């Protein structure tokens, strides 16, 4: 089974559009997202354009705020304070990566967690750990939603996560190991979370044999072809988060996008698999929209 992130994200965008239309019908203003960009990174510009397009589709107002690459850390911090205090903006993100002279951790820590719709601030991560109302980071939220919509339970399953980044590996491990406290379309609360999670990384020994014990493998390593068919238990679910550009003279752009999974050989072994593109990527964007609506409504996930 192919876990179609593009189609699922489209369905969720339809639901969001209806919710926002209902808000507007009550005479209230539209939710608003601001996207802060520093410098010119072609990949980031594509991601930001996609986010703005997705916002427009559901009725979220989006504003891109661009600074040149020489902006100082202090000036950027001042701009972030302005966004924290601007009541017309419900949520904002700082598009990563930032130029070398700006410390990512300092910038992220300055964002008011109630407006942190990427869910990357230490406050939101810490609050998620403790089951306090929080905004969940976009890619893990999208993965959980995709599993739920395809009725793939995580409770009691062995989930192997490859990669320990702050934006994917660590938060997705946290989310899926948690005691469940929320229902999603397609899945009752009792089937979400409650997984036994193993987190692997570049220093893990014998990755292949660990992967073979997994019911669900989530690969977020940034390494094309890392997960091969011999590493996958027949019937396992494979979630490919990787986005890698590989040279392709046959394509107009000179490259094509591939994930971290040897898709051609893994797909016949796996019970369910996400394609790249069209898997986790669109789910990440739609999660950002869901988070923005949550920030607008001041309704954050919490354990009951
Ligand atoms: P990262 O690039 O910061 O770190 C990679 C992680 O993978 C590290 O923890 C490292 O230890 C681990 N790793 C690398 N090679 C490994 C190997 N051979 N064996 C085991 N572990 C290994 O991680 P990231 O920022 O989460 O990005 C990972 C990939 O996911 C990238 O391709 C990125 O572009 C992509 N990504 C996609 C989305 C999306 O929406 N689809 C979102 C975020 C990141």
């Amino acid at each position: 089974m192919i876990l179609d992130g593009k189609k699922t994200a489209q369905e969720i965008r339809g639901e969001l559009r209806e919710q926002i239309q209902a808000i507007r019908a009550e005479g209230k203003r539209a939710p608003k997202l601001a996207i802060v960009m520093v410098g010119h990174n072609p990949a980031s510009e594509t991601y930001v354009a996609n986010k703005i397009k997705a916002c427009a589709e559901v009725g979220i107002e989006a504003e891109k705020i661009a600074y040149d690459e020489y902006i100082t850390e202090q000036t950027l911090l001042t701009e972030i304070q302005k966004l924290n205090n601007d009541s017309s903006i419900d949520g904002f993100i700082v598009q990563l990566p930032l130029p070398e002279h700006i410390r990512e951790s300092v910038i992220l820590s300055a964002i008011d967690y109630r407006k942190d719709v990427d869910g990357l601030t230490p406050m939101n991560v810490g609050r998620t750990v403790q089951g306090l109302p929080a905004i969940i980071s976009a890619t893990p939220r999208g993965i959980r939603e995709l599993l739920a919509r395809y009725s793939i339970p995580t409770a009691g399953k062995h989930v192997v996560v490859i990669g320990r980044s702050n934006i994917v590996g660590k938060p997705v491990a946290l989310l899926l190991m948690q005691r469940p406290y929320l229902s999603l379309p397609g899945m009752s609360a009792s089937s979400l979370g409650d997984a036994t999670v193993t987190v692997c990384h570049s220093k893990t020994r014998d990755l292949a044999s660990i992967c073979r014990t997994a019911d669900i493998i989530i690969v977020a390593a940034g390494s094309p072809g890392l997960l091969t068919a011999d590493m996958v238990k027949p019937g396992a679910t494979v979630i490919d988060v990787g986005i890698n550009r590989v040279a392709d003279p046959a394509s107009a752009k000179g490259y094509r996008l591939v994930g971290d999974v040897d898709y051609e050989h893994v797909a016949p072994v796996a019970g369910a698999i996400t394609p790249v593109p069209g898997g986790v990527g669109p789910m990440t964007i739609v999660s950002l929209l869901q988070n923005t609506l949550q920030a607008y409504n001041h309704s954050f996930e919490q354990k009951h």
Side-chain angles (χ1 to χ4, degrees), residues 139 162-165 167-168 201-202 220-222 226 241-244 281 284:
T139 303
I162 308 178
R164 58 178 160 186
S165 71
I167 63 168
V168 187
H201 47 75
S202 50
L226 172 64
V241 184
I243 303 177
N244 309 290
T284 296

Side-chain angles (χ1 to χ4, degrees), residues 47 139 162-169 200-204 207 219-223 226 240-244 258 260 279-285:
Y47 294 143
T139 303
I162 308 178
R164 58 178 160 186
S165 71
N166 287 340
I167 63 168
V168 187
C200 301
H201 47 75
S202 50
K203 299 284 187 288
T204 297
L207 181 65
V219 201
S223 175
L226 172 64
D240 190 354
V241 184
I243 303 177
N244 309 290
V258 299
D260 290 346
V280 175
M283 293 303 295
T284 296
I285 294 187

Side-chain angles (χ1 to χ4, degrees), residues 39-276:
H40 295 287
N41 175 318
S44 293
E45 288 186 5
T46 309
Y47 294 143
V48 169
N50 288 339
K51 289 171 187 174
I52 291 173
K53 198 169 137 227
C55 282
E57 217 186 294
V58 301
I60 292 176
E61 206 184 311
E63 183 184 354
K64 178 174 149 183
I65 305 173
Y67 300 104
D68 71 46
E69 62 191 287
Y70 303 111
I71 188 171
T72 63
E73 189 178 276
Q74 191 50 48
T75 310
L76 188 57
L77 283 172
T78 308
E79 296 302 314
I80 283 173
Q81 278 315 327
K82 285 186 199 157
L83 292 171
N84 283 341
N85 296 329
D86 184 342
S87 60
S88 73
I89 287 172
D90 303 293
F92 65 97
I93 63 170
V94 176
Q95 186 67 36
L96 303 175
L98 291 166
E100 294 245 315
H101 67 280
I102 299 176
R103 289 168 294 174
E104 192 179 294
S105 61
V106 170
I107 298 301
L108 291 181
S109 301
I111 301 172
D112 184 330
Y113 79 94
R114 291 161 298 191
K115 294 193 173 190
D116 165 32
V117 285
D118 255 346
L120 296 179
T121 59
M123 274 292 273
N124 269 320
V125 176
R127 293 175 72 91
T128 306
V129 170
Q130 298 196 343
L132 295 168
I135 302 182
I136 308 295
S137 70
T139 303
R141 180 181 177 151
I143 292 171
R144 184 182 62 183
E145 184 99 36
L146 192 61
L147 291 170
R149 298 235 175 189
Y150 278 92
S151 304
I152 297 173
T154 54
K157 303 289 180 188
H158 183 206
V159 175
V160 169
V161 178
I162 308 178
R164 58 178 160 186
S165 71
N166 287 340
I167 63 168
V168 187
K170 277 189 268 188
V172 81
L174 171 66
L175 207 56
L176 298 184
M177 79 164 78
Q178 263 176 341
R179 269 204 195 139
Y181 51 86
L182 134 132
S183 301
L184 288 176
M187 193 71 84
S188 67
S190 60
S191 307
L192 287 158
D194 271 347
T196 304
V197 181
T198 302
V199 181
C200 301
H201 47 75
S202 50
K203 299 284 187 288
T204 297
R205 284 192 207 154
D206 204 0
L207 181 65
S209 59
I210 296 172
C211 287
R212 277 193 288 273
T213 66
D215 303 302
I216 300 172
I217 306 176
I218 299 173
V219 201
S223 175
L226 172 64
L227 191 81
T228 50
D230 60 303
M231 296 164 82
V232 179
K233 181 169 76 177
T237 296
V238 174
I239 306 288
D240 190 354
V241 184
I243 303 177
N244 309 290
R245 283 185 183 194
V246 294
D248 182 2
S251 122
K253 290 179 182 159
Y255 68 86
R256 67 193 157 87
L257 294 181
V258 299
D260 290 346
V261 174
D262 173 8
Y263 187 88
E264 186 191 344
H265 298 104
V266 170
V269 181
I273 187 166
T274 58
V276 176

